[in-house]
Amino acid sequence: MKTLVIAEKPDMGRTIAAVIEPRAKNNRSYLEGDRYIITWAIGHLLGLAEPDAYDEKYKKWNFGDLPIMPEQFKIVPNPRTKDQLKIIGELAGRCQALVNACDAGREGQYIFALIRQQLKLTQPVKRLWISDLTAESIAKGFEGLQDGSEFENLELAARARSEADWLVGMNASRAFTTKHRTLLSVGRVQTPVLALIYDRQKEIESFDSLTYYEIKADFEQQERKYVGTWQGDRLTDGEKAKTIADKVRGKQGVIAEYEVKDTREYPYKLYDLTLLQREANAKYSYSAKKTLDLAQALYEKHKVITYPRTSSNYVTEQNIDGMHKTLHMLKSSPYRDLAEGADQRIVHVNNKSVCNPSRVEDHHAILPTLRRPGSLTKEEQHIYDLVVRRFLSHFYPPAEYKQHTLLTEVETETFKTNVKELLSLGWKVCLPGEDGGSKTSGRGKKQDDEDDAEELVSEPFTINRDEPVQCIDAQAKEKATQPPKAYTEGTLLKAMESAGKQLENEELREVMKEAGLGTPATRAATIERLKKVGYITMQGKRITVTQKGRTAVELIRHAGVELLTSPEMTGQWERRLHQISKGEAASEKFMENVKRFTVSIIDKVRTQRKADASLFEPGEDDKGKRKRAGEAGKDTGKATGKSSGRQSESGTKDASRRAPVSASGGLQPLAPCPREGCGGQLIEGRKGYGCNHFRQGCGFVVWKEFEGKQISLNMLNALLDKGQTQLLTFKHPEGDFKARIQLSDPGSGKLEILRADN
């Protein structure tokens, strides 16, 4: 009998088949060769069931039914992909062994585990664990397939993550929504991230700017000119600042102190996903999701970079030879000049800034592969360029500088000067359009720190400390202290990585990675969810909290469940999940704590006072339209997760497209979905009437506006019952006419005009 290989997606399956079964017969949903049958999962084929799968009463949202605590979680197939699940089951019946070839990570492990559970597969399992999809890596991976039992702890962590998100998201969202008569999406990760943004915005709004004065002086010694900044307590008196400037202008001074030291700057760390997303946001204004999608395409479709959903900035000893080969490949690419100038001897197993196995968990840093890119889009090329240049930079020596620090005294007043003299660009030749300046992204002092401002020069800087200098000018400039900067997606990702802690120390940041908010693979989705549920909006690159987002944070905190908004505590939960994946903690204990926390949320919300509806109305700065308590719809809630196991950190997938709140406080479905085999219910959203099984793949929706007519509930009922509305009058430049609106496609909700007979 044969072995069944289950990949995560079709492209991956076909790529694997081309290596292990090059003459395999293509059967559309699978490929069959002499030894292997290769098929795929199309992402998540299964997910946790909604509450009404446990009890019909949960179809209506009622506070009295909370908390919902399944003794054992049920899983359900995704209707959109159930045919593929059936095919996998049929193929498995013909095979004596299985290979899990899903993504080598927590979610990939979970996808395979749910398939195996649902289909009751008992064959022995091997695990393919590779970081790129090149033929060489696939062949090597199949030569060293690992036993499936070695990944049981990873599966436990994946299940714990999914079930914890379900418990917290499902119960908390229903509790706050039914209590306050407005759809409020609450989640284990999305809520503390929202709290981070909220707190930053409150800091900005409460910031009281202080006016102060800075004195800059221009000095000259022979033909050398330089600028110094006055040293002393911050000046808030403009007259005093002007007096000092007048006092030194035109006077002679001396060099009180002069220190010169050699400094080196080493390449920035190799990319993990979060760092890549941050850099792409800063340089190209790409959202975190867009960068992830582009990187995933470069990995899956083009196969020119390694697995992107990694949290590591390092490689292992086994990667060094491959890095050398990739460098050689780049010598015959558009990066030829940079590759020719590189020194492969710099990257070796003892170079701890590159090769550090103790810092590599599931996957090494993102690297270019041996595959030469074919036709990339402009945006894909941007991401590939970032990865290649960062890779090449590690084959170059450090950038070298002379750091000059001067203290100049004039009329008893002291001025400080920092000059950074470039000796050698080193690895910085790999930075596009850079001149070796200190403003390159990655790390370094804040450039807006006036006390430490430095001048970068590329020619030799020489000062004779024993000769006098002349102050040729001095000016007092009015300044104002600046508020904290609003989050961009890039800076928010950095905050999520360290659970909101402002850590400048790279070593501490590295330790905090295990306790960040979410994982590199889920952070982009969390930010997108906050946008879609109407909690945050973008103003250019800046993230701002909407009125609804503000009220959500305040209600949660005032309910006494601050833990739900605590980035640090939620980060510790993520750390515990990481420990479960390593066999260092018990998933049962983690879930017990989650259940206790869920019960405490319900108990505290129960005694909370109902919020006034006006608290959810948008303020002047909110971009979105008004969202009333009776509006749920796909625009307000659909970001709370997919109905797959990757339903996200919020776990509130059934809150995504729910019915409007009725007068009695329940959430009422309007009618059964007419799409054959769906089984969902239609609910009213802001722009249309859609199916609450949207996340399972049902795309049925009747838009409220059609050909100038507003589709009312009565008209909707007529469309569903009779297939058409009553006779209506339509306005037209060439003359009004009578017609009915007809439901032309019960599978999608498409409408058309049916003119009356003349």
Side-chain angles (χ1 to χ4, degrees):
M1 293 180 76
K2 298 178 181 180
T3 296
L4 180 63
V5 179
I6 303 176
E8 187 161 323
K9 295 177 182 176
D11 281 351
M12 297 171 67
R14 294 186 185 105
T15 301
I16 290 170
V19 176
I20 63 172
E21 288 285 7
R23 288 187 287 274
K25 181 183 177 184
N26 191 338
N27 292 284
R28 196 174 66 84
S29 297
Y30 65 96
L31 295 104
E32 184 165 358
D34 296 333
R35 295 179 56 201
Y36 295 103
I37 301 176
I38 303 96
T39 189
W40 38 82
I42 321 179
H44 282 272
L45 302 181
L46 296 139
L48 296 182
E50 296 198 17
D52 55 43
Y54 302 93
D55 194 317
E56 282 288 316
K57 68 180 181 181
Y58 294 136
K59 282 188 175 180
K60 292 183 180 180
W61 288 27
N62 292 307
F63 196 98
D65 292 333
L66 303 178
I68 304 170
M69 293 278 187
E71 290 185 16
Q72 188 167 356
F73 283 88
K74 297 179 180 180
I75 58 174
V76 292
N78 183 337
R80 187 176 55 181
T81 54
K82 62 182 180 181
D83 290 344
Q84 184 65 16
L85 181 66
K86 182 180 178 183
I87 287 169
I88 294 175
E90 292 170 352
L91 295 174
R94 297 167 46 202
C95 297
Q96 63 181 357
L98 307 174
V99 173
N100 177 3
C102 295
D103 272 357
R106 190 168 74 185
E107 292 305 320
Q109 194 68 24
Y110 190 48
I111 287 171
F112 181 85
L114 292 186
I115 292 171
R116 193 164 176 245
Q117 175 186 339
Q118 177 74 7
L119 299 177
K120 298 181 173 59
L121 305 182
T122 58
Q123 297 95 324
V125 176
K126 294 289 185 181
R127 184 60 156 109
L128 176 69
W129 193 270
I130 54 177
S131 288
D132 64 66
L133 291 171
T134 60
E136 183 182 41
S137 293
I138 293 169
K140 190 173 180 181
F142 269 87
E143 288 172 7
L145 289 173
Q146 302 177 61
D147 194 271
S149 61
E150 296 179 27
F151 298 88
E152 288 177 357
N153 290 325
L154 187 63
E155 180 184 325
L156 288 173
R159 287 184 183 276
R161 193 281 304 162
S162 182
E163 292 171 5
D165 289 341
W166 194 99
L167 286 172
V168 174
M170 202 69 71
N171 284 283
S173 293
R174 288 187 174 216
F176 281 100
T177 295
T178 53
K179 184 72 176 182
H180 302 293
R181 308 285 179 87
T182 295
L183 184 69
L184 294 173
S185 175
V186 182
R188 182 180 65 89
V189 172
Q190 74 169 43
T191 301
V193 174
L194 175 62
L196 277 179
I197 303 167
Y198 170 90
D199 290 339
R200 174 63 59 87
Q201 192 157 318
K202 293 290 283 186
E203 284 181 59
I204 294 170
E205 292 168 353
S206 62
F207 182 80
D208 189 10
S209 182
L210 173 69
T211 299
Y212 69 98
Y213 297 86
E214 177 188 76
I215 306 169
K216 292 277 190 180
D218 296 322
F219 296 105
E220 185 175 47
Q221 185 188 77
Q222 297 180 1
E223 295 184 357
R224 167 62 63 190
K225 294 181 179 179
Y226 64 93
V227 179
T229 304
W230 182 78
Q231 301 295 288
D233 294 336
R234 177 173 280 175
L235 292 170
T236 56
D237 186 334
E239 285 300 317
K240 184 176 180 180
K242 184 177 181 299
T243 300
I244 294 173
D246 293 341
K247 175 183 175 184
V248 300
R249 190 184 301 112
K251 301 296 176 60
Q252 193 176 83
V254 297
I255 306 295
E257 291 183 25
Y258 181 29
E259 179 186 3
V260 182
K261 63 180 181 180
D262 292 326
T263 62
R264 292 182 167 190
E265 285 188 19
Y266 290 87
Y268 305 141
K269 292 186 297 185
L270 292 167
Y271 285 123
D272 61 12
L273 176 59
T274 302
L275 185 55
L276 180 63
Q277 289 169 318
R278 285 167 48 193
E279 300 257 340
N281 181 254
K283 186 161 187 173
Y284 301 115
S285 298
Y286 291 168
S287 69
K289 181 182 184 301
K290 183 170 186 173
T291 299
L292 174 57
D293 290 344
L294 291 169
Q296 200 69 22
L298 291 171
Y299 167 66
E300 285 184 15
K301 180 181 177 182
H302 302 289
K303 304 171 183 64
V304 294
I305 67 170
T306 58
Y307 185 73
R309 297 169 182 255
T310 176
S311 61
S312 177
N313 305 102
Y314 301 91
V315 303
T316 66
E317 295 96 332
Q318 289 73 34
N319 300 121
I320 299 299
D321 182 57
M323 292 178 73
H324 290 168
K325 290 178 179 177
T326 299
L327 175 64
H328 182 72
M329 179 275 291
L330 291 170
K331 291 179 181 179
S332 58
S333 77
Y335 299 93
R336 179 183 60 194
D337 291 344
L338 288 176
E340 291 285 0
D343 183 354
Q344 81 170 37
R345 294 173 298 178
I346 295 176
V347 173
H348 53 80
V349 294
N350 294 317
N351 181 344
K352 293 303 180 185
S353 64
V354 176
C355 183
N356 194 338
S358 65
R359 299 283 185 86
V360 179
E361 291 291 345
D362 296 335
H363 298 284
H364 56 70
I366 303 172
L367 304 172
T369 67
L370 285 168
R371 174 76 69 94
R372 288 181 177 83
S375 177
L376 302 182
T377 66
K378 180 181 177 181
E379 293 171 335
E380 288 170 342
Q381 181 61 45
H382 283 160
I383 301 302
Y384 183 67
D385 185 68
L386 287 176
V387 173
V388 170
R389 288 178 181 274
R390 183 60 60 93
F391 168 82
L392 286 170
S393 71
H394 284 272
F395 290 91
Y396 278 81
E400 297 182 356
Y401 301 89
K402 278 190 181 296
Q403 188 77 41
H404 302 262
T405 305
L406 296 84
L407 291 181
T408 306
E409 281 190 6
V410 186
E411 297 292 312
T412 71
E413 305 294 344
T414 301
F415 294 81
K416 185 177 182 180
T417 302
N418 290 313
V419 174
K420 193 175 184 181
E421 177 190 344
L422 175 65
L423 301 178
S424 171
L425 269 176
W427 64 272
K428 290 193 174 183
V429 299
C430 297
L431 298 173
E434 295 291 348
D435 57 3
S438 57
K439 291 187 179 181
T440 52
S441 58
R443 61 168 181 248
K445 293 180 180 178
K446 294 180 180 178
Q447 296 303 306
D448 55 1
D449 187 340
E450 296 293 347
D451 291 336
D452 292 321
E454 61 186 15
E455 179 186 2
L456 181 71
V457 296
S458 55
E459 69 279 356
F461 181 85
T462 55
I463 287 288
N464 189 330
R465 67 189 314 158
D466 298 322
E467 288 188 12
V469 298
Q470 190 70 21
C471 179
I472 56 177
D473 194 17
Q475 297 292 333
K477 296 181 179 179
E478 184 177 309
K479 298 270 187 174
T481 54
Q482 298 299 309
K485 292 182 179 178
Y487 279 118
T488 64
E489 289 203 28
T491 56
L492 181 59
L493 286 168
K494 181 179 180 181
M496 292 171 73
E497 188 177 49
S498 58
K501 287 185 174 293
Q502 301 303 310
L503 300 175
E504 296 304 321
N505 183 292
E506 288 295 329
E507 291 297 316
L508 289 178
R509 291 188 64 79
E510 199 68 34
V511 171
M512 281 302 296
K513 274 189 174 184
E514 292 180 14
L517 292 175
T519 65
T522 61
R523 287 173 189 141
T526 298
I527 296 173
E528 290 301 309
R529 269 197 305 280
L530 292 174
K531 293 176 188 176
K532 290 177 181 176
V533 297
Y535 285 162
I536 64 173
T537 188
M538 303 299 296
Q539 294 183 348
K541 288 178 65 173
R542 296 186 298 116
I543 301 173
T544 59
V545 180
T546 65
Q547 181 58 41
K548 183 178 181 181
R550 289 171 181 265
T551 302
V553 172
E554 290 164 1
L555 285 174
I556 292 166
R557 285 178 169 166
H558 293 161
V561 284
E562 294 86 352
L563 183 63
L564 202 49
T565 64
S566 167
E568 186 174 353
M569 185 59 68
T570 306
Q572 292 301 327
W573 285 23
E574 198 66 50
R575 187 174 191 174
R576 185 55 53 88
L577 287 168
H578 179 79
Q579 291 171 340
I580 293 170
S581 73
K582 299 299 173 187
E584 300 166 0
S587 61
E588 295 83 2
K589 181 67 175 175
F590 173 77
M591 291 305 296
E592 286 175 16
N593 291 334
V594 170
K595 288 177 180 178
R596 279 198 293 270
F597 177 57
T598 302
V599 171
S600 74
I601 293 172
I602 305 304
D603 290 342
K604 289 178 179 177
V605 175
R606 181 177 286 109
T607 60
Q608 190 175 28
R609 193 172 174 181
K610 178 183 174 298
D612 190 276
S614 64
L615 293 175
F616 301 100
E617 294 176 2
E620 292 180 4
D621 295 332
D622 287 352
K623 297 283 186 182
K625 292 184 178 180
R626 185 171 176 170
K627 293 179 175 65
R628 298 179 185 276
E631 294 178 332
K634 58 183 182 197
D635 286 339
T636 52
K638 71 180 180 183
T640 52
K642 299 177 181 178
S643 76
S644 58
R646 200 180 309 207
Q647 72 204 41
S648 77
E649 318 293 7
S650 75
T652 56
K653 61 180 181 180
D654 72 335
S656 61
R657 288 176 52 83
R658 281 293 176 177
V661 182
S662 68
S664 62
L667 291 157
Q668 295 291 340
L670 302 174
C673 177
R675 183 170 175 264
E676 187 176 352
C678 173
Q681 296 287 327
L682 297 188
I683 53 88
E684 182 179 2
R686 182 163 58 89
K687 294 182 180 180
Y689 307 98
C691 178
N692 65 355
H693 279 191
F694 174 82
R695 288 296 172 190
Q696 290 96 316
C698 181
F700 183 93
V701 61
V702 171
W703 301 110
K704 286 185 176 179
E705 186 174 341
F706 178 74
E707 297 293 339
K709 296 293 184 183
Q710 292 294 316
I711 306 297
S712 66
L713 283 173
N714 286 337
M715 291 167 71
L716 176 69
N717 287 329
L719 287 167
L720 297 174
D721 294 337
K722 303 174 184 177
Q724 59 186 27
T725 66
Q726 63 185 11
L727 211 56
L728 305 169
T729 301
F730 288 81
K731 301 286 185 184
H732 195 274
E734 297 178 6
D736 297 350
F737 64 91
K738 298 281 187 180
R740 302 176 192 272
I741 297 176
Q742 179 176 274
L743 180 62
S744 62
D745 183 5
S748 67
K750 182 180 178 181
L751 304 177
E752 64 181 22
I753 291 179
L754 187 64
R755 285 189 179 240
D757 293 332
N758 293 327

